[in-house]
Amino acid sequence: MNMSEALNLKSSTSIERSRIAHSIGTALDRFIKLNQDQFQYASGELSQLLRDIALASKVVNREVNKAGLIDIMGSAGSQNTGGDEQQKLDVLANIRFTRALAKGGEVCALVSEESETYVDLNNEGKYVIAIDPLDGSSNIDVNVSIGTIFSVYRRKSPTGTPILPIDILQKGSEQVAAGYVLYGSSTMLVYTTGHGVNGFTYEPTLGEYFLSHPDMQTPEDGKIFSINEGLYNSFSPGVKRYISHCKDNFYTGRYIGSLVADFHRNMLKGGVYIYPATEKDKNGKLRLMYECNALAFIAEQSGGAATNGSVRILDIQPERLHQRTPFYTGSINMVEQAMAMNSTNE
Ligand code: AFP
């Protein structure tokens, strides 16, 4: 009998192979650590910040899952900056993310859909965050997917000094990281630091996100168009033309009314999401700084595109915190086609 037989190594390998376990992806914490060097200013703070966001999202996820069981559904009785009615969970999610980021200490200022002005967190922090803590909140009460969207910028002024407008009003192209959390049939965190896009699925019993969608790619073409057709009469001729094109080609119409969910589906399956200018809202409905920039960064990093109908979203210089923009995003060929039809007026 040789040594390995004596030690029964063979049988231990076969037991290993026969285990039912499909290999589970790398845990988010480990993935962040392993990829820290990709980030040009690697010093651990951005990694910690992403962990803070992940942690807050787990708390929000727990609260979202309890909606209906305890008194957290329905209106909070207030309005946000855009005049939308704030839901209790909107307010709760804003508190959870703000607290987690304040505690972490890496963030000097936070721009949120739920706050009129930016929130001053810690002058020593190197990063600025723009966040929509709970997007699609009108879907909460009906158990439909909702999301969190975030953008991370490096501050421009020296740490330890007061925050300046140049720190806050940065173009999307200056994001150092961006992502979203989708509270759906499972909860996912998808993010980029400018080196591709990776998606992590939350395993609630282990309380951890695991890599489930490495190197996500938006298909170049697709057959899904996502737009609120109820607003059809107030769309421009170009948008109407594009909708006719979709219908003539028997594309599938899919619109959840939760941006993160619509975006995520189109990224996986191929499609285009459009929230155009309307007669009433000349700049559309969506917010540049905490909705469109993050998704535009992710779209481009996954091979897709994002524009306002004529200009790349990431090139738009924000002038106000809560600035709105028309938004066309998804499969590159579909976005280009929609833009081409937009540019020919009448
Ligand atoms: P709510 O947070 O008010 O539900 O708005 C969600 C949202 O900003 C975005 O998630 C949707 O894509 C978009 O609005 C839907 O807007 P319409 O209801 O006008 O189609």
Side-chain angles (χ1 to χ4, degrees), residues 80 84-85 90 113 132 134-139 149 227-228 231 255-260 262 273 275 285-287 291:
N80 69 15
D84 306 324
E85 206 175 300
D90 278 334
E113 177 171 36
D132 185 349
L134 211 54
D135 185 69
S137 49
S138 56
N139 279 324
I149 309 173
I227 187 165
N228 182 348
L231 303 173
Y255 189 74
I256 296 170
S258 270
L259 178 57
V260 173
D262 280 312
Y273 173 96
Y275 205 112
K285 175 184 182 189
L286 303 180
R287 310 305 181 129
E291 290 183 309

Side-chain angles (χ1 to χ4, degrees), residues 82-130:
D84 306 324
E85 206 175 300
Q86 281 181 310
Q87 305 293 309
K88 287 181 197 160
L89 266 171
D90 278 334
V91 178
L92 211 54
N94 194 39
I95 294 171
R96 295 295 181 218
F97 281 102
T98 309
R99 270 196 203 148
L101 294 167
K103 225 180 206 168
E106 298 85 18
V107 177
C108 56
L110 177 138
V111 175
S112 163
E113 177 171 36
E114 305 307 329
S115 315
E116 185 78 44
T117 57
Y118 69 82
V119 182
D120 228 329
L121 287 183
N122 166 22
N123 269 351
E124 297 300 328
K126 289 183 185 158
Y127 296 97
V128 172
I129 291 258

Side-chain angles (χ1 to χ4, degrees), residues 71-79 85-89 91 141:
D71 184 28
I72 45 175
M73 294 211 308
S75 166
S78 47
Q79 290 189 336
E85 206 175 300
Q86 281 181 310
Q87 305 293 309
K88 287 181 197 160
L89 266 171
V91 178
D141 291 2

Side-chain angles (χ1 to χ4, degrees), residues 282-300:
K282 302 281 180 239
N283 290 311
K285 175 184 182 189
L286 303 180
R287 310 305 181 129
L288 175 63
M289 286 196 61
Y290 42 79
E291 290 183 309
C292 303
N293 272 340
L295 299 185
F297 191 19
I298 290 172
E300 289 196 4

Side-chain angles (χ1 to χ4, degrees), residues 3 41 75 82 85 96 135 151 155 187 193 202 229-230 237 244 250 252 263 277 284 287 291 300 303 312 317 342-343:
M3 183 70 94
Y41 311 101
S75 166
E85 206 175 300
R96 295 295 181 218
D135 185 69
S151 291
R155 75 180 290 175
T187 295
T193 55
Y202 186 57
E229 270 197 87
S244 299
F250 299 98
T252 301
F263 178 88
R287 310 305 181 129
E291 290 183 309
E300 289 196 4
R312 181 183 176 228
Q317 174 62 55
N342 228 2
S343 63

Side-chain angles (χ1 to χ4, degrees), residues 84 135 225-232 234-236 239 242-243 255-259 262 266 272-287 291-292 307-309 313 324-330 335 338 342:
D84 306 324
D135 185 69
F225 69 109
S226 310
I227 187 165
N228 182 348
E229 270 197 87
L231 303 173
Y232 185 87
S234 68
F235 292 156
S236 68
V239 174
Y242 184 67
I243 292 176
Y255 189 74
I256 296 170
S258 270
L259 178 57
D262 280 312
N266 291 356
V272 65
Y273 173 96
I274 303 179
Y275 205 112
T278 61
E279 261 164 37
K280 180 169 147 263
D281 296 312
K282 302 281 180 239
N283 290 311
K285 175 184 182 189
L286 303 180
R287 310 305 181 129
E291 290 183 309
C292 303
T307 77
N308 69 357
I313 289 288
R324 296 176 196 267
T325 177
F327 195 41
Y328 296 59
T329 190
V335 173
N342 228 2

